């Protein structure tokens, strides 16, 4: 039985996520604290979340990842879909399954947005305990992923770390690389800012390859993790080296 297979009638699409209310609230988790300074901060959050389509599936709010091509039901694809469906961990966004027509993947939706959104939003104050707990969540999720049959992520970056309603960080966008990659690459314009930006988390030894394996490597994931740790520490985006350091090729 294909436990991962989802029928279109089971997916109830919704246009936008819920709004957060309250002018100032603090949320606690494992001795750490995040302070959301104003309602505006959360409105900004909601705007950023429109990038991912959401739906209800069996009473769960899910993120929908549309694929531009058909799921070819080869032995290896079927095996990986089953592996993905069977993978359960507190720090990995759950894979609910795939729909054949229209072709899409259904993944656990985390309402607080991505780690990148949170770090870029200076209305949100993060104390050090909270920052450490975010790093720790990534370590736990990645360590489980590396020990699983999926073996590596290949696209770990701060926008692929999402935060749930209890402020637990979960890693998303892993596995099924063969299915996702074409759709993702096709939707990015070559030589655009987005095209180059996604490579900021890619390890140099992979960048040197003529064709980067979509599933990456475990060592490559460790490099990506280090970039994320730097982002969490500086809150200035990847590769920030201080006010007066310009890494641009045109910088003096
Ligand atoms: N709020 C929220 N945002 C999510 C969730 N999953 C993904 N996103 C965001 O939705 C946006 C689009 O995600 P994707 O379709 O995976 O694409 P991408 O991350 O831009 O591209 P790749 O990582 O290269 O696949 C990104 O900014 C993600 O951070 C989620 O569960 N909750």
């Amino acid at each position: 039985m294909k436990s991962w297979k989802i029928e279109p009638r089971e997916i109830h699409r919704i246009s936008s996520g819920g709004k957060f209310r309250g002018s100032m609230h603090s949320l606690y988790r494992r001795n750490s604290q995040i302070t959301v300074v104003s309602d505006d901060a959360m409105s900004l959050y909601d705007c950023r979340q429109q990038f991912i389509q959401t739906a209800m599936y069996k009473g769960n709010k899910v993120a929908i990842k549309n694929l531009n091509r058909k799921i070819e039901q080869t032995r290896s694809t079927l095996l990986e879909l089953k592996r993905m469906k069977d993978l359960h961990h507190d720090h990995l966004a759950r894979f609910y399954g795939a729909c054949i027509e229209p072709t899409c993947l259904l993944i656990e939706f985390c309402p607080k947005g991505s780690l990148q959104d949170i770090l870029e939003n200076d209305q949100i104050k993060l104390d050090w305990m909270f920052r450490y707990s975010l790093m720790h969540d990534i370590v736990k999720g990645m360590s489980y992923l590396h020990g699983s049959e999926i073996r590596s992520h290949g696209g770990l970056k701060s926008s692929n770390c999402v935060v749930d309603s209890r402020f637990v960080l979960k890693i998303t966008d892993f596995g099924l690389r063969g299915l996702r990659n074409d759709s993702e690459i096709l939707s990015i314009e070559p030589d655009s800012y987005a095209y180059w930006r996604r490579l900021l988390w890619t390890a140099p030894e992979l960048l040197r390859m003529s064709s980067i394996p979509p599933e990456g490597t475990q060592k490559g994931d460790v490099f990506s993790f280090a970039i994320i740790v730097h982002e969490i520490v500086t809150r200035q985006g990847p590769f920030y080296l201080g006010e007066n350091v310009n890494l641009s090729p045109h910088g003096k």
Side-chain angles (χ1 to χ4, degrees):
M1 203 189 89
K2 292 170 183 165
S3 63
W4 51 265
K5 195 171 170 189
I6 294 174
E7 297 299 331
R9 63 181 152 75
E10 295 178 287
I11 307 171
H12 304 283
R13 293 188 189 246
I14 38 181
S15 49
S16 65
K19 285 248 171 213
F20 292 82
R21 296 237 60 86
S23 59
M24 168 134 184
H25 41 258
S26 296
L27 296 139
Y28 292 84
R29 194 190 137 218
R30 285 190 238 136
N31 307 320
S32 60
Q33 185 180 8
I34 174 174
T35 306
V36 178
V37 180
S38 71
D39 211 14
D40 288 348
M42 279 317 206
S43 322
L44 194 78
Y45 238 176
D46 285 342
C47 295
R48 301 222 25 166
Q49 286 177 27
Q50 285 166 10
F51 290 110
I52 194 96
Q53 220 181 337
T54 54
M56 292 305 289
Y57 168 69
K58 292 194 173 166
N60 301 297
K61 192 166 179 181
V62 293
I64 298 198
K65 183 117 187 162
N66 291 306
L67 304 176
N68 295 338
R69 62 174 177 138
K70 288 207 179 316
I71 299 178
E72 291 208 22
Q73 298 191 39
T74 59
R75 207 182 114 73
S76 67
T77 304
L78 292 175
L79 193 65
E80 192 160 9
L81 282 160
K82 186 182 172 325
R83 280 180 187 156
M84 287 286 291
K85 176 79 187 172
D86 293 344
L87 205 64
H88 293 273
H89 189 265
D90 282 351
H91 300 291
L92 296 181
R94 188 167 161 203
F95 173 70
Y96 285 101
C99 182
I100 304 286
E101 186 58 56
T103 337
C104 62
L105 306 176
L106 267 61
I107 300 155
E108 176 178 357
F109 176 74
C110 290
K112 300 275 186 258
S114 75
L115 176 61
Q116 181 180 295
D117 297 337
I118 291 175
L119 295 174
E120 280 179 2
N121 188 341
D122 53 19
Q123 299 285 307
I124 300 172
K125 309 283 172 228
L126 300 173
D127 72 2
W128 279 101
M129 281 304 284
F130 197 84
R131 292 188 205 204
Y132 292 139
S133 80
L134 291 170
M135 295 177 204
H136 201 213
D137 288 353
I138 304 175
V139 170
K140 285 184 280 185
M142 286 305 294
S143 151
Y144 186 84
L145 193 72
H146 280 185
S148 77
E149 286 172 305
I150 306 289
R151 293 203 42 80
S152 58
H153 190 298
L156 183 63
K157 54 187 176 178
S158 48
S159 63
N160 283 337
C161 296
V162 287
V163 178
D164 79 2
S165 56
R166 295 177 303 126
F167 279 93
V168 173
L169 182 148
K170 297 180 182 230
I171 292 153
T172 191
D173 217 15
F174 54 86
L176 295 169
R177 283 280 144 203
L179 280 184
R180 297 161 185 266
N181 215 40
D182 275 6
S183 323
E184 279 157 14
I185 300 294
L186 284 173
S187 64
I188 301 174
E189 229 175 275
D191 218 19
S192 62
Y193 177 75
Y195 177 86
W196 294 110
R197 186 178 159 81
R198 31 182 277 288
L199 299 175
L200 289 174
W201 289 264
T202 308
E205 71 273 16
L206 295 176
L207 286 176
R208 277 194 287 268
M209 291 179 169
S210 52
S211 142
I212 302 174
E215 70 286 1
T217 60
Q218 295 193 341
K219 287 180 179 171
D221 285 347
V222 175
F223 177 92
S224 311
F225 170 67
I227 301 291
I228 299 176
V229 169
H230 190 248
E231 285 179 88
I232 296 175
V233 171
T234 65
R235 294 191 76 173
Q236 299 285 341
F239 289 100
Y240 176 76
L241 293 178
E243 285 291 311
N244 302 317
V245 185
N246 186 355
L247 277 185
S248 144
H250 305 293
K252 296 236 160 72

